[in-house]
């Protein structure tokens, strides 16, 4: 992903984005947040509509300091963002299962991001192409120059949404099980194992 004009500073922290449980595992650094977003590119977008909470998994990618995703023109997410409503996007990956000697202390080594954003539709054709090229080039370098670019009809039917991150946090866990001292002699294996051995 493009890193120009990025990594300017940490995100501001309010009561909404502050990590309370295991706060020592939290970070508000753009570098930590951007790294996971760039790696996963699968975000779960949460919003409210008619008093109901809805979460939708979407391809979300970063270009500079903005996040982008695309939806059909006149979709509910487009209308919601254009009305000024804030959305919450989460990214998460389990890297390892943490198996302890007690059931209570089983855990996972993970990385996660929660972001609060507002957005708008990209209207500039040059930005439209640049941003779409960035995700395709990230998947396979050199591919944008090989494929057909979006047609006039495809551009009309697609709303590319640009999200400004207003605040957010990164949280992770790494390391071995946190066994109680009195459990260390129990005759059961403890340690870590890949959460998804085929990834």
């Amino acid at each position: 992903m493009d890193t120009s004009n990025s990594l300017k500073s940490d995100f501001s922290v309010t009561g909404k984005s502050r990590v309370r449980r295991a706060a020592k595992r939290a970070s508000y650094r753009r570098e930590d947040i951007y790294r996971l977003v760039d790696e996963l590119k699968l975000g779960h977008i949460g919003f409210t509509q008619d008093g109901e909470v809805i979460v939708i998994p979407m391809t979300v990618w970063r270009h500079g300091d903005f996040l982008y995703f695309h939806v059909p023109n006149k979709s509910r997410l487009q209308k919601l963002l254009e009305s000024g409503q804030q959305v919450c996007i989460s990214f998460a990956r389990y890297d390892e299962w943490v198996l302890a000697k007690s059931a209570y202390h089983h855990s996972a080594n993970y990385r996660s991001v929660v972001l609060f954003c507002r957005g708008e539709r990209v209207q500039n054709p040059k930005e439209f192409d640049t941003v779409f090229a960035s995700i395709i080039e990230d998947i396979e370098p050199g591919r944008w120059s090989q494929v057909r670019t979006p047609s006039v009809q495809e551009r009309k039917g697609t709303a590319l949404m640009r999200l400004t991150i207003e605040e957010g946090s990164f949280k992770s866990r790494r390391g071995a099980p946190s066994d109680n001292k009195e459990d260390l002699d129990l005759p059961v294996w403890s340690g870590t194992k890949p959460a998804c051995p085929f990834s």
Side-chain angles (χ1 to χ4, degrees), residues 4-8 30 34 63-67 163 165:
S4 60
N5 194 36
S6 64
L7 309 185
K8 293 186 297 187
R30 289 176 186 264
Y34 287 175
H63 188 75
D65 281 321
F66 297 106
L67 300 181
L163 299 176
I165 303 171

Side-chain angles (χ1 to χ4, degrees), residues 14-164:
T14 71
K16 184 187 297 185
S17 56
R18 185 180 305 279
V19 174
R20 293 173 175 80
R21 180 169 176 158
K24 65 182 180 181
R25 296 177 182 168
S27 166
Y28 306 94
R29 298 171 60 221
R30 289 176 186 264
E31 180 180 3
D32 296 329
I33 290 169
Y34 287 175
R35 186 183 298 116
L36 187 62
V37 171
D38 292 348
E39 177 184 334
L40 297 184
K41 300 179 188 67
L42 175 63
H44 289 76
I45 303 181
F47 57 96
T48 57
Q49 183 179 45
D50 300 326
E52 299 290 335
V53 178
I54 302 167
V55 178
I56 301 176
M58 301 277 291
T59 299
V60 180
W61 69 99
R62 182 181 66 87
H63 188 75
D65 281 321
F66 297 106
L67 300 181
Y68 293 86
F69 68 91
H70 64 90
V71 289
N73 193 16
K74 299 181 181 179
S75 71
R76 63 179 173 180
L77 263 176
Q78 176 191 353
K79 293 176 181 177
L80 179 144
L81 286 167
E82 290 180 332
S83 74
Q85 185 171 321
Q86 190 178 66
V87 296
C88 179
I89 308 181
S90 66
F91 300 80
R93 178 185 176 96
Y94 270 7
D95 295 311
E96 295 177 311
W97 293 116
V98 180
L99 280 64
K101 289 179 178 288
S102 69
Y104 180 81
H105 287 296
H106 279 61
S107 185
N109 287 332
Y110 66 91
R111 291 165 290 151
S112 64
V113 163
V114 176
L115 304 173
F116 298 93
C117 309
R118 296 186 196 274
E120 59 189 340
R121 184 179 182 180
V122 172
Q123 302 288 351
N124 185 292
K126 184 176 180 180
E127 182 181 0
F128 186 99
D129 279 355
T130 298
V131 170
F132 266 113
S134 72
I135 180 65
I136 291 176
E137 286 292 297
D138 190 65
I139 295 169
E140 184 176 317
R143 189 168 183 81
W144 181 256
S145 63
Q146 301 172 14
V147 299
R148 176 181 63 78
T149 56
S151 67
V152 173
Q153 191 62 32
E154 288 168 339
R155 291 171 189 273
K156 287 181 179 179
T158 302
L160 176 63
M161 307 304 295
R162 180 200 309 116
L163 299 176
T164 299

